Amino acid sequence: MAKVNPIRRAEIGREKRARTRAQLIAAANSLFARQAVESVTVDDVVKEAGVAKGTFYVHFDSLEAVTAAVAEELVHSFDELLQPGRVSLAEPALRIAFGCCSFIDKALNDPRWASVVARLAAVAPKGGEMARRRLFEDLQQFSKALPDDGVSAELKLEIVVGIMLQILRALGEGRLSSLDRDAAIGAMLRAIGLNAQEAKSVLVRLPAAPMLESSSRSSTK
Amino acid sequence: MAKVNPIRRAEIGREKRARTRAQLIAAANSLFARQAVESVTVDDVVKEAGVAKGTFYVHFDSLEAVTAAVAEELVHSFDELLQPGRVSLAEPALRIAFGCCSFIDKALNDPRWASVVARLAAVAPKGGEMARRRLFEDLQQFSKALPDDGVSAELKLEIVVGIMLQILRALGEGRLSSLDRDAAIGAMLRAIGLNAQEAKSVLVRLPAAPMLESSSRSSTK
DNA sequence: GTTCATATTGACAAAATAGTCGAGTTGACT
DNA sequence: AGTCAACTCGACTATTTTGTCAATATGAAC
């Protein structure tokens, strides 16, 4: 008289499923740390994840899908790390500096992460869209409170993003390993219109960066 | 009684060969403007070039080889455009600004070029090595003549490169099409340690940028 | 119009990659 | 110990891509 609760059944399924899905995402993440996103194949991913080919297609339609999932996970977990500190900062310059600072700290702590983010940023602009938009809004506010320097907020956005991504790339490739975080943020602040003194004042008022978890997989809710 | 000069023969061969090789390079260049470098196949290239598959392998060992050739051609032709103006500039800040200025002008004039350069920069770091080294030397000189701001020349290099590549990417993707060149250079100069006034002074002393040829293939010596 | 060194061609075999599906495994529940 | 819904497996076919090579085309010189 087997009477099994089908709802419970589905639950069990979902758990197992989530585990395997996470394995696949982690595998893709590892591969992106080593090689160009476009050069990764489905076979590479399943081999790295230690699952069968068919399993991949149960979870994702294509490589783009898993790539997007990797990007989303990265954005989401970084965001989670960032938002608590951000909300308490009223001044746009502080928010911008804080965000960049966290970015650099994380990259210094985990060059592998830096590599992956740098590579994905070039390929999956969708993923970082939200972060980009937030930064842009901060920059608009920031610009309004500044004597006009002829640099549009759009250009400032590209400048900040450009500097950050290049630093990520450099750290990911082993260059710049003794990077002075404050120097980098200072340069960035001057680029977007602060003078040396103002930049320094922002830096000293920066709250301690959020603590970072160590390198690898850990945030699977 | 056929007596043919074998030296002349070889000459003819070399000419034809060079033409086809240039076709292949131009085809790869076109493709790189449209899609990720790693996603281009040999078949794509030969189809775009209008030659047979076998011909490709007569000229190049692999896709990497033709990619390197595209990068080299880009670097070489941009360098040719740049060097004449550069040598007359004694001040490092001027040389740096002049280089960046030419870069941006070219990108504004030819977004396709901007796309290709941005893509190749991420993939073929070998190609731009020389340009990178020159910029680094200028930055070292530049830093020496400046009160120490705690920003190493290495970091300055990454900052300048990061800003320039991001602007290229943005222009290549159609963002930022109304870019104010001087604003961008000004921001870059402030990032590497000049104050607003000094940056402006550099900008007004900048010689006219080298004239640019229009978009497409023309420099086949 | 013949010659011939060189370049070009495209059909082909081999390798890599994508995507499918029937068979098999799992594990909480009874 | 048996049940079963959901997951996983991996061999298989289809497609794409690579790299080769014997045959053919080219064209200036004679």
Side-chain angles (χ1 to χ4, degrees), chain B residues 29-46:
Chain B
N29 190 319
S30 282
L31 290 167
F32 294 160
R34 276 180 261 158
Q35 52 188 279
V37 173
E38 289 88 349
S39 75
V40 172
T41 67
V42 175
D43 281 314
D44 289 341
V45 174
V46 298

Side-chain angles (χ1 to χ4, degrees), chain A residues 149-151 155 159 187 190-194, chain B residues 97 100-101 104 163-164 167 180-203 206:
Chain A
D149 56 356
V151 185
L155 177 53
I159 287 173
R190 290 196 305 273
I192 61 177
L194 259 42
Chain B
C100 292
C101 190
I104 292 179
I163 293 175
M164 288 302 129
I167 288 178
D180 177 347
R181 192 193 69 181
D182 284 4
I185 309 278
M188 185 274 289
L189 290 172
R190 290 196 304 273
I192 61 177
L194 259 40
N195 64 37
Q197 199 176 16
E198 292 164 334
K200 189 162 290 179
S201 139
V202 168
L203 277 170
L206 216 52

Side-chain angles (χ1 to χ4, degrees), chain A:
Chain A
M1 271 73 263
K3 188 110 144 285
V4 174
N5 183 349
I7 294 177
R8 174 70 185 125
R9 272 277 159 75
E11 224 172 85
I12 294 162
R14 271 202 301 278
E15 277 165 23
K16 191 190 272 184
R17 191 181 168 75
R19 241 193 335 274
T20 307
R21 190 185 141 96
Q23 268 176 46
L24 285 165
I25 291 177
N29 189 318
S30 281
L31 290 167
F32 294 160
R34 277 180 260 156
Q35 52 187 280
V37 174
E38 289 89 348
S39 74
V40 172
T41 68
V42 175
D43 281 314
D44 288 341
V45 175
V46 298
K47 187 177 169 193
E48 178 82 15
V51 303
K53 186 102 169 256
T55 304
F56 177 92
Y57 286 99
V58 170
H59 293 274
F60 300 100
D61 283 348
S62 64
L63 278 173
E64 285 82 56
V66 74
T67 303
V70 172
E72 200 198 349
E73 214 227 39
L74 285 174
V75 169
H76 181 264
S77 81
F78 186 70
D79 227 57
E80 223 166 36
L81 189 71
L82 207 55
Q83 277 301 15
R86 248 179 72 91
V87 293
S88 65
L89 300 172
E91 203 177 320
L94 269 178
R95 282 209 301 278
I96 295 166
F98 179 75
C100 291
C101 190
S102 310
F103 222 64
I104 291 179
D105 280 341
K106 174 90 181 164
L108 277 167
N109 248 51
D110 188 354
R112 213 188 58 92
W113 178 88
S115 259
V116 176
V117 173
R119 288 219 172 93
L120 283 180
V123 172
K126 292 262 180 63
E129 198 74 21
M130 197 183 61
R132 219 181 130 92
R133 186 154 38 240
R134 265 210 304 265
L135 176 55
F136 182 59
E137 276 158 23
D138 285 345
L139 279 166
Q140 283 183 309
Q141 262 191 268
F142 169 81
S143 293
K144 247 189 308 198
L146 212 69
D148 181 29
D149 56 356
V151 185
S152 68
E154 284 80 9
L155 177 53
K156 281 177 180 154
L157 175 63
E158 303 295 348
I159 287 173
V160 175
V161 171
I163 293 175
M164 288 301 128
L165 286 182
Q166 184 69 17
I167 287 178
L168 251 54
R169 246 172 264 129
L171 288 173
E173 288 166 17
R175 302 196 304 272
L176 222 55
S177 50
S178 68
L179 171 68
D180 177 346
R181 194 193 69 182
D182 285 3
I185 310 280
M188 185 274 289
L189 290 171
R190 290 196 305 273
I192 61 177
L194 259 42
N195 64 36
Q197 202 175 14
E198 292 164 334
K200 189 162 288 178
S201 140
V202 168
L203 277 171
V204 300
R205 279 152 53 217
L206 216 52
M211 78 290 146
L212 334 125
E213 322 168 355
S214 80
S215 136
S216 21
R217 326 272 80 243
S218 47
S219 69
T220 32
K221 184 172 6 198

Side-chain angles (χ1 to χ4, degrees), chain B residues 23 37 47 55 60 64 73 79-80 82 86 88-89 91 102 121 128 144 155 165-166 171 176 180 187 202 214-215 220:
Chain B
Q23 267 175 48
V37 173
K47 187 177 170 194
T55 304
F60 300 101
E64 285 82 57
E73 214 227 39
D79 227 58
E80 224 167 34
L82 206 56
R86 246 179 74 90
S88 66
L89 300 172
E91 205 177 318
S102 310
K144 248 189 307 197
L155 176 53
L165 286 183
Q166 185 69 17
L171 289 173
L176 222 54
D180 177 347
V202 168
S214 80
S215 137
T220 33

Side-chain angles (χ1 to χ4, degrees), chain B residues 95-168:
Chain B
R95 281 208 302 275
I96 295 166
F98 178 74
C100 292
C101 190
S102 310
F103 222 63
I104 292 179
D105 280 341
K106 174 90 181 162
L108 277 167
N109 247 50
D110 187 354
R112 214 188 58 92
W113 180 86
S115 258
V116 177
V117 172
R119 289 219 172 94
L120 284 180
V123 172
K126 293 264 180 62
E129 197 74 21
M130 196 182 62
R132 221 182 130 90
R133 187 154 36 239
R134 265 210 302 264
L135 176 55
F136 183 58
E137 276 157 22
D138 284 345
L139 279 166
Q140 283 184 309
Q141 260 191 272
F142 170 81
S143 293
K144 248 189 307 197
L146 212 68
D148 182 29
D149 55 357
V151 185
S152 68
E154 283 81 9
L155 176 53
K156 282 178 179 151
L157 174 63
E158 302 294 347
I159 288 173
V160 174
V161 171
I163 293 175
M164 288 302 129
L165 286 183
Q166 185 69 17
I167 288 178
L168 250 54

